[in-house]
Amino acid sequence: MKWIVYFALTIVVYIIIVAKLKVKIQREKVKEAYIFWNTLVFFLVFEFVFIESLFSNYLLHIFGLFLSFIYSISVYIYLKSLRKDVETIFYQLLEQSQGQISILTFMQATELPSHEAQDYLNQKLRELRGNRRSTRGNVYYEFSGWQNY
């Protein structure tokens, strides 16, 4: 009976953590610290359910720690999978900025390194026949015909 309670509580906690972090992932990069904190949360749920056996059956609690680690890894993998597609981000930025994208803005939104972001934008520059201009250390890519695509 306690296992059912444990799994029910764990599922509720899992859903709450994923829902809370799902919104955050669109703005920030997922960090490995989430694994630690999620492991701790799931382990606390496990300990809450099985507290009376803390000293009599320590292997059960080691198993709980292992299960908690697996749950938190799955949260981390799920959050990593939520990273938006670069193509989708590109067209969202185009729409938001009326056809002009800063290399810095694009790098922040996609979490790509500078050389990959530049390669991608240069490729799009050729595809959409745009212009590239530099101002005060920032490079802007202007796509005048972006609404046709």
Side-chain angles (χ1 to χ4, degrees):
M1 180 65 178
K2 287 204 177 227
W3 285 102
I4 294 171
V5 172
Y6 168 68
F7 282 119
L9 278 175
T10 304
I11 288 171
V12 168
V13 170
Y14 188 89
I15 290 170
I16 290 170
I17 287 174
V18 167
K20 197 166 93 174
L21 294 177
K22 192 174 182 180
V23 175
K24 190 176 188 178
I25 191 65
Q26 293 178 351
R27 287 180 268 125
E28 297 178 19
K29 189 176 182 180
V30 178
K31 297 177 178 71
E32 287 74 16
Y34 289 134
I35 292 178
F36 170 74
W37 292 112
N38 289 332
T39 301
L40 187 62
V41 167
F42 289 124
F43 188 61
L44 289 175
V45 170
F46 185 87
E47 290 299 316
F48 175 75
V49 173
F50 297 103
I51 193 71
E52 73 273 353
S53 66
L54 184 61
F55 297 109
S56 63
N57 195 355
Y58 66 90
L59 287 178
L60 175 70
H61 296 277
I62 292 173
F63 177 68
L65 186 59
F66 178 71
L67 278 180
S68 301
F69 187 68
I70 289 181
Y71 280 131
S72 61
I73 292 287
S74 68
V75 168
Y76 180 77
I77 290 170
Y78 175 70
L79 291 175
K80 279 287 214 188
S81 73
L82 288 177
R83 275 191 60 196
K84 289 192 172 188
D85 183 38
V86 174
E87 190 83 11
T88 306
I89 293 172
F90 173 76
Y91 285 106
Q92 283 177 349
L93 289 174
L94 266 182
E95 193 171 320
Q96 289 172 359
S97 61
Q98 301 295 317
Q100 180 176 317
I101 297 178
S102 157
I103 184 73
L104 295 175
T105 305
F106 186 72
M107 284 171 47
Q108 285 177 331
T110 59
E111 299 174 4
L112 290 174
S114 68
H115 67 280
E116 287 181 34
Q118 278 183 328
D119 290 345
Y120 182 84
L121 288 174
N122 286 334
Q123 174 194 351
K124 285 297 184 185
L125 206 59
R126 289 187 295 276
E127 286 177 23
L128 302 177
R129 293 184 218 104
N131 298 320
R132 177 181 168 174
R133 66 179 175 88
S134 299
T135 59
R136 293 192 205 160
N138 199 358
V139 179
Y140 291 93
Y141 292 81
E142 296 173 340
F143 302 93
S144 54
W146 66 275
Q147 293 170 330
N148 301 332
Y149 292 94

